[in-house]
Every structure is written in structure tokens, then in C-alpha cells.
Amino acid sequence: VDTSLQNGFAPGMKLEVAVKSDQNTYWVATIITTCGQLLLLRYDGYGEDRKADFWCDILTADLHPIGWCQQNKKILKVPEGIKDKIPDQEEFLQRVLKGACSAPANLLEGLHRGKNPLDLIAPGSRLELQNIRDSLEAWIVTVVENVGGRLKLRYEGLEDLDKFDQWLFYLDPFLHQVGWAAQHGYSLQPPLAIRSLRSEADWQEILKKVKEEEEESSVPTDLFKDKPVIEVHSFSEGMKLEAVDPMAPFVISPATVLKVYNDKYFLVEMDDLRAERASSQRYVCHVNSAGIFPVQWSLKNGLHLSPPPGYPGQDFDWADYLKQCGAEAAPQSCFPLLTSDHGFKENMKLEAVNPVDPEEVCIATVTKLKDSYLWLQLEGSKKPVPECIVSVESMNIFPVGWCETNGYQLRPPRKAIVNKQKKIAVVQPEKQILSSRTVHDGLKNQELNSSDSVVINGKYCCPKIYFNHRCFSGPYLNKGRIAELPQSVGPGNCVLVLKEVLTLLINAAYKPSRVLRELQLDEEAAWHGHGETLKAKYKGKSYRATVEVVRTADRVADFCRKTCIKLECCPNLFGPQMVLDKCSENCSVLTKTKYTHYYGKRKNKRIGRPPGGHSNLEVAMKKPNKRRKRRKHFFVHKKKRSSTSVDNTPAGSPQGSGAEEEDDQDESELSHSLAQDRDKRKRKLRTFSFSDDENKPPSPKDIKMEVAEKLQLDSNPLEWSVADVVRFLKSTDCAPLARIFLDQEIDGQALLLLTLPTVQECMDLKLGPAIKLCHHIERVKLAFYQQFAN
């Protein structure tokens, strides 16, 4: 439909244009491109040289069709800039004008000058409209409104009665210029729906008046030159087919060819087996009508065929149905060939007419494609409608921006209805595992936002996503941090909820960057959802990746399960189902060593890191490279393990993953001896010294004594600046760490989000200083709850 908005001029057309340097002379120019009523022209003779191209306005410029100068005795003269390139003017003109297409004279002169052809269908113009409901009669319609070629039509004789108004695109096969019915032998009769509103004498009087005013209300004859030609059909009466009711294009149902009018048109009726039916859905078709298919088309394309009303049972079978009806199926040769080579893809956006209320044009999303047909989900309609089935050739679908271009109201999408509740400014540290740096990436108030109650109409409302803390966490995710996640997130907008869930998971990983890499969208994979940019911070570096999330509630459960499997954890670790007692996957018997055998990605064994990129003490012990960096003693706080400790580790425990031991190692070869490696580990544990008080973990007695000391705050820590945080730390025995907080710009909100794993990971602190620091942070949290949380 968009091509019909062009103004009738096309690149390559030639015309005669006044020469700027001498307005009394003209020269031939070629249209390079068009933009509304503006033309970009190039004088013939410049060849491919663009330096002299110029724009002109059709309404004001001195433009004429080829031959105008000769007819009006005007001078054609070569412009000065190319005089030396054209020694023989006559020979040059004969050569360039041979077979050339001249710009249409009616677009350059008279009332139609510079007008888009569609502008010629003005309100008050008259056309003839075939009755598509019952027969091949036609009646006069008056154009009430023209929106980019989409016409609001009113039957002649109804004056201000808009109840029977129709919206049709001007190239609709059933819309014609006045006089069409007489030329083709059809009668001019008002449709049955309005015939009783006036007497027969009144209708004849209206017809007489229209004929008298025909000349002043007619539209140009060439306006319909682009209308599709209707070919000859081969349908016979009684044939069965599958069809979509054009007035309610939501399902495909059995239908019958009720009547054949001639070689161009036939009448189709939607099958209805109910004895008490008052009326039937019938409409006139031609061979290229949208929404008619051969028998079994739905089955072959994996689509649901709705049985006719009154059909016994839900399992419809065409063979039985044809036998019961004593009818034959319309052969495949009756139908045009369908193609999928049209460029439409799932999740594309467009603008589409609401079939229930044709006055509305809504935002639409392509949800499914089969051959030449699209399934569209309309957004923002006054009354929710099911997915519509439309042809790619439909004149009721438009490109994005069509409404804006034509000054028509596009129905906005429905907004989420938020039940505003009183918010309590509480950041619950036990539900947050975000690092201080992530806080500054726009997630400071995530807990506050997710606690709002959100209700969204339609299928875009995501249910609650539960974190099932007892389920197996796999090799990537830290069991301790998973345990600190909130019990649930949502409900709310699918994209926002899932983005929040994935962000929490990324930050609950041993290595957030690794999880982000696992989740990122594969460029070669088919696009099924919505791309969201997620971030991860690891060892002072920032990582970004586009992660695909689903947009509709019906796909959330499958998305969560597939994501769990991708992360090699229990498929029930998170999702819309809460695991109460025992996980249906029986994941409690699994260990990180055994996991890839059950759910993991099966990869070829290779020297170096096992599947998932993590070392495993029993599957692939590592021998340190000679060139490896000096190890940091991150593992000092871990329990000593026996040689059998891996398989006996409780499911989800971080002890068997070796994730942190691998962080600063290069790739290495397999160890020749498990015993050798165990001995090395024991020697390392023995050689680590607690000689420094700063490295020595405080005793439980010390902690208990210090916790008893209540902290009184003078101001709300949520409002602390970085300087306030530094000032507080300098007043404690963790003063040497204040520099880290200053460098990482940790303010009060970030401080309240810090936990022991986060402090160790983001600040590279040993266990002793980390515990001491977290003790002071917990004192601040406790004081915050007691003094400011209410």
C-alpha cells in the first residue's frame, strides 16, 4: 500500500525545464529522485556528474512535459556548463529522447499539478462498491474521508447516517469508479441491509441525481490503473475448502462454494451445522481472494482447524466430513500458489486495521508465519481481539510510521496499570547479591521497584519467578549467593522481570562474566524473543552482552527451564513453579562432578578445563604451569577435603567446583597423579600463616562482643555520599580500607548492598579483613532498620 503514496513521478522520467541562467530558454532534464512535491533533476548531458543536480518544487517551478517547447514555440538551448560536450544539439536530443518516458502532462499542468494521485479522491468524490456479502450488485458510495488512500465510504442516500460506513483501501478489488457496473452488466441496487430505509422511488431518484452530478464528483480514470486484475477461477458449486471469515479473521474453518456467479466471482459460505442458525456468514470471492485454502492445508502446516458450529466432538476429520456431506474437496489447482518469499519475520512490528473495529489502526506484532499469511497480535485495541490472520498482500496492513505520515491516530499500546502502594525505603541485604559497582549501573533501587504490585492486561504479564534455593546450583552459580536471592521476582512486564532475574543470576555466579557469556545471544541462532543488554563486573572489568528474553507469559516457563539447562543447574532452580519439598528432578543426589552426565552440555574431552570451564578435582586435576602467576590464597577459608570429598559434597555446594582456584591459572595439562596434587594442596594449607592479626579471622567470641555494641547513626545511610562512607570507615578499625571505597565510589546505598562474597570478590580482600569489614557493615544495616526503616 505504501507505493500508492507516490506522487506519480518516477526516477528516469524526462521533462523540459527552464534554464536558471536564462529563463527564456529550456533544456531536457531527467528525474533523479522524488520527495513529496520536490524533484531532484539533472540536465541531460552531464552524464554521471552530480555536481549540477538541483531540486525544484512541482507547484512553483517552470516544468513541462517533453514536446511542450515545440508546441509553444519556446527555445530549447544547451546550458552553458555542458555546451562544449554537445556539439550537435539536434542529434543529441534525438538520441536521448528515443524511447524516453515523459513525465505525465496532467501532473505538471492544470488542477492536478503536483498532487499525489490519492489527493484526487477528495471528500465528496463518488465511487461504486460491490456488495461482497450476497451478490454481484453494486451501489454508489461517497468518500467521507481519505487517509493515505484508505477511504471511509458512505452509501449514497444515507446522508449523515454513519452506521453502515465502511473503510476500504482505494485499490480494493471490489471498489470501482462510477460507471463500472453498467460497463460490466451488473445492476445498481442498494444492499439489502439498507434497502428498507427508503422507498424504491427514493432510490431511483438518488440514482438519477448521481448521474447528473457524475462529471463534477468523478475521479480520474487512470487512478485505478494499479488495481490487481481478477483472473478466471475454476471453482464449482458444492466444493469444500478451508477459509477465514474476512469479517472475523481469527480462525480457519470448513467452508463451501455456495454459488458460482460467473468466471470471475463465486460465493463462499462458512459451514454451520446448527439447526437453529438464523443467518450464515457468506461473502463473494475471486481466485485471488485472501483466506481461502485447499482441504488439509491447516493439517499440513500444523495449524488448528476449527470444526463448524454444531459439529459433534472436537476431533475434526476431513475424510469423514466429506463423506457425511457427500461433497468433494476443491482441488489444489483452484488455488493460487502461496509463497514464503516476502520478507516478513516473527516479532516484526507493523500497523494494522482492527477487523472488529475498522476505524482503529493498531500496532501489530507478527507472531507466526505460514506461506503467504501472517498471524498478528494487535496492541491497544479498545476491546482485546484474538490474533488476526491476514495475507501479506492485505490492504489492511501498513509499515511502521504509516499513521504518522498520513496524520491518522494510531492506537497506543495498553500501559501497565500500577496499583500504587506505599513504599518503604528498605534495601534488604539478604535479598541482594549485587556488587557495589553494579549498583552504579542503574540497579540501586531494584528491590524497591520489584516490590511494587503490578497488574498488566493481556498476555505480556509475567507471573512470579521463584528462586528455589534447595535445587542444585550447578558449576557456574555460587550456592551461598543463590541462597541470598529473594524468594521471588515479579509479577510484571515479561521483559523487565526476566531481565531482573538474569541480572540476579549473573551476580550470583563465581565468575559473572562467564555466566554472561553463556547467556548471550548466539548471532547465528533464530530470533524468537527480545534482545536486552545485560552487564557483568568481574575483577575490575566490565562486560556487556545482548541476552534474548521472551516477551509473552506463555513462553516464560520454557525460557526459564532452557536457561537453567544452559547454566547446567537444576531445571527448577528458577521459574514460575515453586519447589516446596522435593524437586521433581531429584537434583539433590547430584554433585557438580556428576552434573554434566544428567543435564550438562556434552562436549568432547580435551586437555585443560573440563566442561563449563571449571576445574574438577577428581575429573581433571591441574598441574600448575611453570609460567603461572603467584597464587593468591583465596581458598584459605575452605574446608580441607579428602580424596573422596568431591562426590560426597552436598548438591550445589561450591566446594566441588574449584571455580575460584581456577581464576588466576592458565590452561594446564592433566595431572599424572591424584595423590601428588592432594599432597601439594595440603602443603599449601600448612604453609599459610596467620601471623598477621589483620589476616586472622576474629573469633566468634570477639564477634559476639562487638555485635553487642549498638551503633547510633546521625543520618540515614541511604543518603550517605561516598565521602560519608569513607568518614564512617575511618572511624573504625577498617580505616586502611577506606581508600578502596573511595576509588570504587561506594555510597550509602551501595554500602547497604554489600555482603561477604561480594566484598571478597570485588575488593580482593582476604577472609580476615573481609569478615571484619562486613561486621561493621552489618552494624550499619542493623542501625538503619532500627532508626530509619519505619
Side-chain angles (χ1 to χ4, degrees):
V1 297
D2 214 31
T3 55
S4 59
L5 298 178
Q6 296 169 359
N7 58 15
F9 293 97
M13 286 182 174
K14 295 187 182 293
L15 59 168
E16 294 174 356
V17 189
V19 177
K20 288 183 180 180
S21 57
D22 184 357
Q23 293 293 321
N24 294 321
T25 63
Y26 296 80
W27 189 241
V28 176
T30 301
I31 298 174
I32 303 301
T33 191
T34 68
C35 181
Q37 65 190 50
L38 300 177
L39 303 178
L40 181 64
L41 303 177
R42 182 182 302 164
Y43 286 122
D44 282 14
Y46 276 96
E48 296 300 315
D49 188 355
R50 301 186 304 175
K51 68 182 180 185
D53 289 3
F54 60 97
W55 288 95
C56 63
D57 189 327
I58 303 166
L59 296 177
T60 58
D62 196 0
L63 308 175
H64 304 281
I66 297 297
W68 180 86
C69 285
Q70 187 177 2
Q71 292 170 7
N72 293 275
K73 300 196 170 32
K74 297 290 182 181
I75 301 169
L76 273 175
K77 185 179 177 182
V78 182
E80 288 294 328
I82 48 175
K83 209 168 189 178
D84 56 337
K85 295 183 180 180
I86 305 174
D88 188 337
Q89 178 177 311
E90 293 302 320
E91 185 272 333
F92 176 80
L93 288 174
Q94 282 182 1
R95 179 161 47 85
V96 298
L97 294 178
K98 186 177 181 181
C101 176
S102 172
N106 67 312
L107 298 178
L108 295 168
E109 301 164 350
L111 295 173
H112 299 165
R113 180 178 179 181
K115 286 189 176 180
N116 185 309
L118 298 184
D119 296 337
L120 306 178
I121 310 177
S125 299
R126 290 194 177 105
L127 298 163
E128 288 181 1
L129 176 63
Q130 284 178 250
N131 181 1
I132 66 166
R133 278 294 193 184
D134 216 344
S135 70
L136 283 186
E137 295 171 339
W139 187 242
I140 314 295
V141 287
T142 302
V143 176
V144 178
E145 196 176 346
N146 177 358
V147 180
R150 189 166 181 257
L151 310 178
K152 186 177 184 180
L153 304 170
R154 183 166 300 162
Y155 286 116
E156 192 69 35
L158 297 190
E159 296 163 349
D160 296 330
L161 185 62
D162 60 1
K163 181 181 175 183
F164 300 97
D165 286 0
Q166 295 186 51
W167 281 92
L168 288 176
F169 198 71
Y170 85 106
L171 292 177
D172 190 285
F174 290 90
L175 195 60
H176 314 278
Q177 63 191 92
V178 173
W180 175 87
Q183 290 172 12
H184 293 82
Y186 300 123
S187 62
L188 275 176
Q189 288 285 346
L192 282 173
I194 66 169
R195 199 172 293 176
S196 60
L197 298 177
R198 290 184 178 272
S199 66
E200 184 61 32
D202 287 341
W203 290 121
Q204 291 303 318
E205 188 62 34
I206 289 166
L207 201 54
K208 182 180 176 184
K209 181 187 173 187
V210 168
K211 287 181 178 177
E212 289 172 357
E213 299 172 356
E214 185 176 336
E215 191 171 329
E216 56 191 74
S217 65
S218 63
V219 295
T221 53
D222 62 344
L223 190 68
F224 298 103
K225 67 182 187 303
D226 295 325
K227 195 159 75 168
V229 177
I230 295 176
E231 305 292 342
V232 173
H233 73 81
S234 55
F235 286 92
S236 303
E237 286 184 14
M239 282 182 173
K240 294 285 184 182
L241 62 152
E242 296 180 3
V244 175
D245 183 353
M247 302 305 165
F250 312 122
V251 296
I252 304 172
S253 302
T256 306
V257 178
L258 193 65
K259 186 176 182 180
V260 173
Y261 292 110
N262 52 29
D263 61 354
K264 296 285 182 73
Y265 299 102
F266 54 96
L267 188 68
V268 168
E269 181 180 60
M270 305 302 294
D271 286 3
D272 190 336
L273 307 180
R274 293 173 297 184
E276 72 281 2
R277 65 172 180 168
S279 61
S280 59
Q281 292 293 94
R282 53 176 66 172
Y283 52 95
V284 177
C285 288
H286 50 85
V287 69
N288 290 318
S289 286
I292 55 173
F293 314 98
V295 163
Q296 304 286 15
W297 184 82
S298 297
L299 182 66
K300 290 174 184 175
N301 285 278
L303 301 169
H304 176 68
L305 181 71
S306 295
Y311 182 81
Q314 290 299 311
D315 296 328
F316 182 83
D317 182 79
W318 261 117
D320 291 344
Y321 186 63
L322 290 172
K323 197 180 292 183
Q324 290 170 19
C325 298
E328 64 169 326
Q332 180 75 47
S333 58
C334 290
F335 301 87
L337 291 174
L338 301 179
T339 177
S340 55
D341 185 23
H342 44 63
F344 285 96
K345 295 179 182 177
E346 276 189 28
N347 297 310
M348 279 185 170
K349 296 284 187 184
L350 55 129
E351 297 174 9
V353 174
N354 181 355
V356 176
D357 183 0
E359 192 105 9
E360 288 186 354
V361 179
C362 305
I363 296 170
T365 306
V366 180
T367 58
K368 187 162 54 180
L369 302 101
K370 293 294 178 186
D371 293 336
S372 304
Y373 287 84
L374 312 174
W375 274 251
L376 301 179
Q377 179 65 54
L378 303 186
E379 299 176 31
S381 54
K382 291 175 186 173
K383 295 179 182 178
V385 294
E387 288 184 342
C388 310
I389 306 169
V390 300
S391 164
V392 295
E393 300 291 337
S394 170
M395 295 178 187
N396 282 329
I397 59 174
F398 312 96
V400 167
W402 187 87
C403 281
E404 185 179 9
T405 302
N406 292 284
Y408 194 75
Q409 175 63 48
L410 176 69
R411 290 289 303 174
R414 231 180 241 107
K415 292 182 179 177
I417 300 171
V418 179
N419 297 332
K420 297 213 170 179
Q421 297 177 342
K422 185 178 179 182
K423 290 182 182 178
I424 300 174
V426 178
V427 180
Q428 300 179 20
E430 69 274 13
K431 292 189 179 182
Q432 295 289 343
I433 45 74
L434 307 179
S435 75
S436 56
R437 296 177 186 179
T438 311
V439 168
H440 288 284
D441 285 337
L443 294 168
K444 289 183 182 177
N445 298 315
Q446 192 165 34
E447 179 63 22
L448 295 177
N449 292 339
S450 65
S451 64
D452 293 347
S453 174
V454 182
V455 179
I456 302 177
N457 293 328
K459 68 177 188 177
Y460 295 96
C461 180
C462 181
K464 271 189 182 182
I465 303 298
Y466 294 96
F467 290 104
N468 297 308
H469 302 118
R470 296 182 184 180
C471 286
F472 176 61
S473 59
Y476 295 122
L477 304 176
N478 185 316
K479 181 70 174 177
R481 295 178 205 167
I482 289 291
E484 293 179 342
L485 295 182
Q487 187 178 6
S488 66
V489 174
N493 177 281
C494 280
V495 172
L496 297 180
V497 169
L498 294 175
K499 184 178 179 181
E500 182 176 352
V501 167
L502 295 180
T503 300
L504 290 169
L505 286 172
I506 288 167
N507 287 283
Y510 290 108
K511 297 177 70 175
S513 57
R514 175 72 59 80
V515 170
L516 187 63
R517 189 169 68 214
E518 290 294 323
L519 294 175
Q520 73 179 347
L521 185 67
D522 184 355
E523 291 180 6
E524 297 178 2
W527 184 269
H528 295 297
H530 176 84
E532 277 292 328
T533 300
L534 296 184
K535 304 172 188 174
K537 296 270 188 178
Y538 184 64
K539 296 214 164 192
K541 294 182 181 178
S542 297
Y543 300 86
R544 289 171 183 261
T546 301
V547 175
E548 186 179 10
V549 295
V550 295
R551 303 179 67 248
T552 55
D554 58 326
R555 298 168 67 185
V556 166
D558 184 56
F559 170 81
C560 291
R561 187 174 179 86
K562 286 180 178 175
T563 304
C564 286
I565 292 171
K566 193 183 287 186
L567 296 180
E568 300 185 24
C569 57
C570 173
N572 292 332
L573 181 67
F574 68 93
Q577 296 296 322
M578 183 191 289
V579 174
L580 297 174
D581 296 315
K582 193 174 180 184
C583 174
S584 60
E585 302 288 336
N586 197 25
C587 65
S588 62
V589 303
L590 295 175
T591 65
K592 300 195 182 207
T593 307
K594 296 177 178 177
Y595 187 67
T596 51
H597 178 74
Y598 290 89
Y599 296 109
K601 303 160 194 164
R602 297 174 185 265
K603 298 179 183 176
N604 294 329
K605 290 184 179 179
R606 58 188 176 91
I607 300 295
R609 298 178 185 177
H614 296 276
S615 65
N616 186 288
L617 297 179
E618 193 156 295
V619 175
M621 286 308 230
K622 295 183 177 180
K623 186 168 81 175
N625 269 355
K626 290 179 184 176
R627 300 173 60 187
R628 108 182 179 199
K629 292 188 285 184
R630 185 178 175 183
R631 291 287 303 270
K632 293 182 183 178
H633 300 286
F634 275 110
F635 57 86
V636 70
H637 62 284
K638 295 191 177 185
K639 297 176 183 176
K640 290 184 181 181
R641 286 162 284 180
S642 67
S643 61
T644 58
S645 66
V646 176
D647 277 356
N648 294 330
T649 302
S653 168
Q655 293 178 13
S657 72
E660 280 141 10
E661 280 123 334
E662 175 242 358
D663 289 348
D664 294 315
Q665 269 185 293
D666 299 323
E667 293 287 43
S668 60
E669 298 175 357
L670 289 173
S671 172
H672 295 293
S673 167
L674 290 173
Q676 263 187 346
D677 196 82
R678 282 198 302 276
D679 290 340
K680 286 177 190 174
R681 288 177 51 77
K682 287 177 182 177
R683 282 198 298 274
K684 280 192 177 182
L685 285 168
R686 284 197 293 270
T687 56
F688 188 83
S689 171
F690 282 114
S691 61
D692 189 317
D693 279 343
E694 186 176 83
N695 290 332
K696 184 178 179 180
S699 69
K701 184 180 176 183
D702 294 336
I703 294 173
K704 195 179 289 183
M705 211 167 65
E706 289 177 11
V707 167
E709 299 168 13
K710 247 186 186 179
L711 183 66
Q712 281 295 118
L713 299 178
D714 296 325
S715 60
N716 189 337
L718 276 179
E719 298 167 0
W720 284 3
S721 65
V722 175
D724 293 329
V725 172
V726 170
R727 197 175 298 116
F728 165 74
L729 283 172
K730 283 185 176 179
S731 69
T732 71
D733 56 357
C734 289
L737 303 178
R739 170 57 59 184
I740 300 175
F741 281 69
L742 186 63
D743 291 343
Q744 297 199 20
E745 298 182 350
I746 297 173
D747 60 12
Q749 291 189 39
L751 180 74
L752 291 174
L753 293 175
L754 294 178
T755 60
L756 180 60
T758 313
V759 165
Q760 283 185 273
E761 184 173 301
C762 295
M763 297 184 181
D764 280 344
L765 293 181
K766 296 173 184 176
L767 183 62
I771 290 177
K772 195 182 290 186
L773 174 62
C774 285
H775 159 62
H776 291 297
I777 293 171
E778 289 303 318
R779 291 175 68 211
V780 174
K781 292 175 185 176
L782 184 62
F784 167 74
Y785 292 142
Q786 291 174 342
Q787 292 179 238
F788 301 100
N790 57 0

